[in-house]
Amino acid sequence: MKRNLFFTTLILLAIGCSVGRYAASNKQYKKQAKAFAKELRKQPAAVDSAIMAGYWAGTTNFGMRKPNFVIIHHTAQNACDSTVSFFARPATQVSAHYVICKDGTIHHMLNDYLRAWHAGNSKWGSLTDVNSSSIGIELDNNGFEPFPEAQISSLLRVLKKLKKDNNIPVANFIGHSDIAPKRKVDPNRYFPWQQLAQNGFGYWYDTAKITSLPADFNAMQSLRIIGYDTRDTAAAIRSFKLHFVQQDSIPKLSEADKKIIYDLSKKY
Ligand SMILES: [Zn+2]
């Protein structure tokens, strides 16, 4: 009997811990979401009250803004739980919509309609406020190791739902290093971009039929067409290689690399 009581207590404690684990940050999340909801209900201030008396004429036709990009990261940490707690602490000022652990566990940390703080100072094409138009997904990974199958399988499930719900174009599934070549190297070179492309998330290349490049082909200009910030040539090439030529980190372009860029620039 006593033994049963001991185990019952243990089970209750375990349940209590798992419920209470994120209780404080969940409460804070609700409070912040409530404040945003209040803001949305308000009638916006007039741009110029002198010429806009009686200006407000609410329409009945509107929706929520949807994300149009997915940015993939690696956490560069050693444990999934530490990343989740890290994103739940106000002082860190960083977050992501999803954190996916090595065993495939998925943590959803904020509503997909809301803006997470994961991209930082980034640029892709002419897009500079990447956080406002993207979903951030963090994969638990120390930065130097491959990504387990269970983790990628969960990632593919999340991507499938995001693509369907938000009609995200194939080209818009990219990595943090793609949008911040000078600052970021995630996800690392083990990330299976080709597998993602085979599933409809991002593009891959086929240079088998390209015998020669056009005489006027400009590789850096084509990298810019794909989306890369090419202001720093070496950094842009390194980021391109981290995604598409993963075994090579030399910041110079060979003829084979140029063929890859040529083929990709027609897709992006
Ligand atoms: Zn990142």
Side-chain angles (χ1 to χ4, degrees):
M1 194 63 182
K2 262 190 180 166
R3 201 180 148 89
N4 278 345
L5 187 68
F6 173 72
F7 281 115
T8 312
T9 314
L10 264 189
I11 290 164
L12 284 175
L13 270 176
I15 294 170
C17 282
S18 63
V19 169
R21 195 176 196 175
Y22 306 117
S25 59
N26 284 351
K27 198 174 162 192
Q28 189 58 29
Y29 175 91
K30 228 175 171 176
K31 202 175 151 194
Q32 277 172 230
K34 232 175 173 175
F36 285 128
K38 201 174 161 193
E39 187 63 33
L40 287 175
R41 279 201 300 270
K42 267 196 219 159
Q43 181 178 309
V47 179
D48 183 338
S49 50
I51 53 166
M52 290 179 75
Y55 67 95
W56 178 249
T59 177
T60 54
N61 316 320
F62 57 94
M64 301 283 271
R65 287 192 178 158
K66 288 184 173 187
N68 200 37
F69 284 83
V70 171
I71 309 297
I72 294 165
H73 305 253
H74 70 216
T75 59
Q77 292 197 349
N78 285 313
C80 206
D81 283 357
S82 356
T83 302
V84 176
S85 344
F86 193 73
F87 290 165
R89 281 204 300 276
T92 65
Q93 296 286 289
V94 285
S95 59
H97 294 85
Y98 298 88
V99 176
I100 304 179
C101 306
K102 290 192 174 103
D103 66 359
T105 306
I106 301 165
H107 297 274
H108 197 177
M109 299 199 73
L110 76 155
N111 191 301
D112 295 346
Y113 287 122
L114 295 174
R115 184 177 184 272
W117 299 341
H118 60 97
N121 189 10
S122 306
K123 191 173 182 294
W124 188 248
S126 60
L127 180 69
T128 50
D129 183 4
V130 181
N131 279 336
S132 281
S133 55
S134 69
I135 293 287
I137 301 180
E138 289 274 359
L139 302 174
D140 178 37
N141 181 291
N142 68 10
F144 306 98
E145 57 191 346
F147 298 82
E149 220 177 288
Q151 192 176 32
I152 297 302
S153 154
S154 289
L155 171 67
L156 291 173
R157 282 177 61 189
V158 173
L159 294 182
K160 194 175 168 193
K161 186 169 187 323
L162 289 172
K163 190 181 178 190
K164 186 169 170 271
D165 288 355
N166 304 293
N167 201 18
I168 298 174
V170 174
N172 293 0
F173 293 81
I174 48 181
H176 201 186
S177 59
D178 291 317
I179 61 169
K182 278 180 84 174
R183 298 188 305 116
K184 295 291 170 180
V185 291
D186 62 311
N188 76 42
R189 64 186 60 262
Y190 295 107
F191 187 73
W193 284 114
Q194 188 174 7
Q195 186 187 349
L196 255 72
Q198 283 158 354
N199 284 276
F201 311 114
Y203 285 119
W204 202 246
Y205 54 87
D206 180 7
T207 55
K209 287 182 190 139
I210 305 172
T211 48
S212 63
L213 291 162
D216 60 349
F217 177 68
N218 181 328
M220 291 314 292
Q221 201 173 39
S222 295
L223 270 187
R224 209 169 71 229
I225 290 168
I226 293 169
Y228 286 97
D229 176 357
T230 55
R231 284 174 295 183
D232 183 322
T233 307
I237 294 174
R238 265 197 304 268
S239 280
F240 154 74
K241 288 197 175 181
L242 193 55
H243 189 135
F244 295 104
V245 197
Q246 294 177 313
Q247 69 281 10
D248 169 19
S249 58
I250 304 163
K252 282 199 172 129
L253 294 172
S254 68
E255 196 66 7
D257 298 331
K258 287 179 186 170
K259 283 182 182 171
I260 294 170
I261 295 174
Y262 177 64
D263 188 55
L264 286 169
S265 67
K266 289 187 287 182
K267 297 175 177 165
Y268 275 84

